Amino acid sequence: MSKRTLAIPAAFIAVFMCLALAFAAWTPDTAAAATSNATVKLVKTANIKNTGSLTTYPGQKSKLKVKVTGADASEVVWKSTSKKIATVSEKGVVTAKQPGRCYVKVTVGSSTKKLLVAVTSQQAYQAVQNAFVDKQTKISYSQAKRMKKYYRDCSAFVSRCYWDSKLGRRIFAIGGEDAKSWALPAADQAMWLNEHGKLVSWRACDIKKIRPGDTLYFETDYAGKDYSQWRFIDHAALYVGNGYVMDTGGSGGKGTIGFRWCKFSSKDKSIKFIGRPCP
């Protein structure tokens, strides 16, 4: 009687052990397959939707969001390509360290996405934010009324992103004290920046050298070459990150503030000066 009673548990244990071994052998392969088929997608939050990149300044923290399918969110791995420029935590919090640019990568299994992080000065960062505020405002193009609240020409737009007392903007006057009440024309802005050692490049340069908030000056010849202007400059724009500039009048069309991608190719002879009002 006792022998028969013990036989059942022994058989049961043998079967259980076989199943356990089979499960142990199967689980890693299944998990690996699931992870390899996983996908990860960076969510375009408010701070990256404009240019598809993250513009930030030293000390600022930015939370990145991801959408993961086919894997547990805990399997997400974050990495910065340059911890000197910006670090990223295991929860996707980016902390800007110093001006420059790097990429933040997020990986699940074999799926990886990356995001450009452009770190500029806090003052330049604010100028870029002011540009997007103007873009959302009904602005009309006018040279005669360029210093009134709802009017801009190209040089007034760039200058007033940095300084406009009536709008509470007191970052940096491109042109000194006189420029606080009247924006200098594009050529005069470039010449003043050059005289004050705020030069990035005389012409189109490697995009890695440019930071959000830098000011660009062009020779467009819309109305013919202007020999009276320094370096024939007749247009100004503000660099806002990831290859994009904002301006009004020229590419934007009169009556709007334009948002366009700029090649920054060495073959582009129209860029005559790139300045950096705030380091």
Side-chain angles (χ1 to χ4, degrees), residues 134 139-142 148-149 151-153 157 160 167:
D134 284 357
I139 299 293
S140 296
Y141 181 91
S142 173
K148 293 186 179 296
K149 187 173 182 179
Y151 295 89
R152 306 282 192 279
D153 67 357
F157 166 69
R160 294 172 68 182
L167 295 177

Side-chain angles (χ1 to χ4, degrees), residues 184-259:
L184 298 184
D188 292 347
Q189 286 183 27
M191 184 166 60
W192 187 90
L193 288 168
N194 179 60
E195 290 173 350
H196 288 77
K198 296 182 178 296
L199 164 73
V200 175
S201 176
W202 287 102
R203 55 189 62 83
C205 64
D206 188 334
I207 195 171
K208 294 179 182 179
K209 297 181 179 180
I210 309 174
R211 299 176 191 164
D214 286 353
T215 53
L216 284 77
Y217 301 92
F218 300 80
E219 176 191 349
T220 63
D221 297 338
Y222 289 144
K225 187 183 290 290
D226 189 343
Y227 291 94
S228 67
Q229 299 290 356
W230 187 66
R231 293 180 61 81
F232 312 122
I233 290 171
D234 58 7
H235 187 65
L238 184 73
Y239 182 68
V240 295
N242 205 18
Y244 289 95
V245 299
M246 290 176 65
D247 56 12
T248 188
S251 65
K254 294 185 177 182
T256 63
I257 292 176
F259 180 69

Side-chain angles (χ1 to χ4, degrees), residues 30-91:
T30 304
T35 303
S36 64
N37 292 328
T39 59
V40 58
K41 180 181 180 181
L42 277 163
V43 178
K44 288 188 176 181
T45 51
N47 55 355
I48 63 175
K49 67 179 182 180
N50 290 315
T51 63
S53 63
L54 175 64
T55 297
T56 181
Y57 58 86
Q60 188 181 45
K61 295 180 182 293
S62 306
K63 179 71 168 69
L64 300 183
K65 297 181 179 180
V66 292
K67 182 178 181 181
V68 180
T69 56
D72 192 287
S74 63
E75 297 178 18
V76 171
V77 177
W78 294 91
K79 182 180 180 181
S80 169
T81 59
S82 177
K83 293 182 179 180
K84 292 182 179 180
I85 304 300
T87 60
V88 59
S89 73
E90 61 183 15
K91 294 184 178 180

